Amino acid sequence: MAASRPGRTRRLASSVWLPWTCGLLALLTVAGTVLAAGGRFERGVTVPTAVLDGQRAATAGAAQHVRRALRAGELDLAQLADGLTLGLDPAKLDKQITHFRKRYGRYRSVYVLDAQRRVLAQAGTAAHPDQVPERPTGAGSSDAVRIDKIPVVVQYAPFSYGNNERAIAVAEYDLVKLRNAFDAVQPATAWVVDAKGEVLASTAGFTAFQPLVGEELRRAARTDKPVVSLGGGGAATREIVAAAPIAGGGKNHAPSWRVVTARSVSTVLLPETRARDQAVLLAQVLAVVTLGLFGWLYVMWLRPLRRLVRDAERVADGDLRDVVEVRRYDELGLVARALERIRVSMAAEAATRRTHDRRVPAAVSRKVP
């Protein structure tokens, strides 16, 4: 029996694989080129005035939401203080302030101080009487203060009880809860900053009382009027930056806070961004189609063809023991069936030859005296 010749299989496989591999690699190259080119912006891209005005309006609206949220906190606390003037029964007092804190959910702590600044009742975290004015004449709010590394506004409402005794209802407003006021600015990122430009709240991760990251953001935070500007960075980092002051949060609330928003130019539906998105989609489709074609060719044609070549070489080398399996009904299946018929015919011929070769020596031996 002749030895097997794997070199022929490798040469055939190489000749079959080479054109298909080159074609598929060309498709992948095109997809990569389109993806790389489609992801870049030209520096001269122009943002329409309507987009800038919309960002300015959304930022001003967010500033109003913040102001209204702070003012609503003052009014709610004043309403609580009015209810406490009817008496200071300790059990009812604890129940009232606990219910108040659970109802609104924006306060870290709610408590009542007497004229000597002693805590009469408390709900939530620890009280901080040192953050409350000595003798406030009306409801109001402090500026942002740091309590347990968290920016907080201390709101207060004085009230009278009993024999003209004075007390103060106090609520520590957690500024992290202000993120609910920024729904209108999505998908932009929003920050609330104080007069120093330090962050008090944000829709993104932030470190309290740290300055804004980026000169464009810090410049916007220092302005007195809403502004819109384009960052001067690379195409991928260009942003629409807008700012608006928070005016009149309460009687004692300094109107020096600002809302700053930043939105990536790439999120704006400009002609350039639409072209980029279409290019990226085209590249993704090309990549998926290329990989799909590669897998289909390998499973449906290349692997069965290599198996058929191995069977043909085996039959040609005289190995007729194993059946050539017919697994398909297309052209490759026709070739496999023809090869199996050849194998059966060769096997029958070989068996006949072996039988004849055994009979001839026996007949000759009988004729010899």
Side-chain angles (χ1 to χ4, degrees):
M1 183 180 297
S4 61
R5 290 161 292 196
R8 289 187 299 178
T9 304
R10 286 195 294 269
R11 287 194 299 272
L12 177 61
S14 299
S15 64
V16 172
W17 275 91
L18 185 60
W20 287 107
T21 302
C22 292
L24 294 174
L25 286 177
L27 281 178
L28 284 176
T29 301
V30 172
T33 303
V34 171
L35 184 61
R40 291 199 296 266
F41 263 120
E42 296 295 333
R43 280 192 170 272
V45 63
T46 302
V47 179
T49 303
V51 175
L52 303 183
D53 291 341
Q55 183 76 3
R56 178 187 291 113
T59 304
Q64 291 183 3
H65 281 300
V66 172
R67 176 180 60 81
R68 290 170 183 168
L70 295 173
R71 183 57 180 161
E74 292 182 0
L75 295 176
D76 292 337
L77 187 62
Q79 186 177 7
L80 172 66
D82 289 340
L84 298 178
T85 58
L86 300 178
L88 277 180
D89 179 54
K92 291 183 178 180
L93 185 60
D94 286 335
K95 184 177 180 181
Q96 282 179 294
I97 64 173
T98 300
H99 174 73
F100 177 80
R101 181 173 179 270
K102 289 182 177 179
R103 178 182 178 184
Y104 293 104
R106 56 189 174 223
Y107 302 106
R108 299 181 69 252
S109 180
V110 181
Y111 46 93
V112 176
L113 303 177
D114 63 9
Q116 288 73 39
R117 307 179 70 80
R118 293 173 299 190
V119 179
L120 302 179
Q122 178 185 348
T125 59
H128 298 86
D130 56 306
Q131 300 293 341
V132 183
E134 288 289 339
R135 296 180 181 276
T137 58
S141 301
S142 71
D143 205 343
V145 296
R146 185 195 303 265
I147 296 179
D148 298 332
K149 300 181 180 180
I150 297 176
V152 173
V153 166
V154 179
Q155 298 182 328
Y156 46 85
F159 63 94
S160 301
Y161 69 97
N163 296 324
N164 202 25
E165 296 289 339
R166 300 290 293 175
I168 307 174
V170 184
E172 298 178 0
Y173 196 120
D174 187 351
L175 294 182
V176 176
K177 306 297 183 180
L178 288 176
R179 68 176 56 191
N180 296 329
F182 301 127
D183 293 339
V185 301
Q186 298 296 333
T189 303
W191 299 266
V192 176
V193 298
D194 60 13
K196 301 176 184 178
E198 297 176 346
V199 180
L200 305 178
S202 176
T203 56
F206 71 100
T207 301
F209 296 99
Q210 293 296 314
L212 288 167
V213 178
E215 182 57 33
E216 284 295 321
L217 296 178
R218 291 193 291 269
R219 185 182 300 116
R222 291 193 294 267
T223 59
D224 294 329
K225 297 180 180 180
V227 296
V228 178
S229 60
L230 288 176
T237 60
R238 300 186 70 192
E239 293 180 322
I240 304 172
V241 181
I246 300 172
K251 293 181 180 179
N252 297 312
H253 177 66
S256 56
W257 294 6
R258 292 179 179 85
V259 171
V260 181
T261 62
R263 179 180 182 182
S264 174
V265 175
S266 62
T267 65
V268 182
L269 293 179
L270 305 176
E272 291 84 354
T273 58
R274 285 195 293 269
R276 181 208 60 185
D277 293 340
Q278 292 172 357
V280 171
L281 179 61
L282 175 61
Q284 293 173 343
V285 171
L286 280 175
V288 171
V289 170
T290 300
L291 294 176
L293 282 174
F294 192 87
W296 180 79
L297 286 171
Y298 178 77
V299 172
M300 298 299 296
W301 291 98
L302 297 179
R303 188 170 62 180
L305 185 59
R306 296 182 67 178
R307 184 169 54 245
L308 189 59
V309 169
R310 286 195 298 268
D311 290 338
E313 290 182 345
R314 177 172 53 81
V315 172
D317 291 336
D319 185 1
L320 307 175
R321 294 170 297 178
D322 297 328
V323 176
V324 178
E325 296 183 2
V326 180
R327 303 180 180 181
R328 303 167 59 139
Y329 296 94
D330 53 7
E331 289 77 6
L332 288 181
L334 292 174
V335 174
R337 280 191 288 272
L339 184 59
E340 172 61 13
R341 286 197 297 270
I342 293 173
R343 186 198 69 82
V344 171
S345 176
M346 292 177 64
E349 183 179 348
T352 302
R353 188 182 305 113
R354 286 194 298 271
T355 303
H356 179 268
D357 291 342
R358 285 196 298 268
R359 290 177 178 175
V360 169
V364 172
S365 62
R366 284 196 297 272
K367 292 180 180 181
V368 176

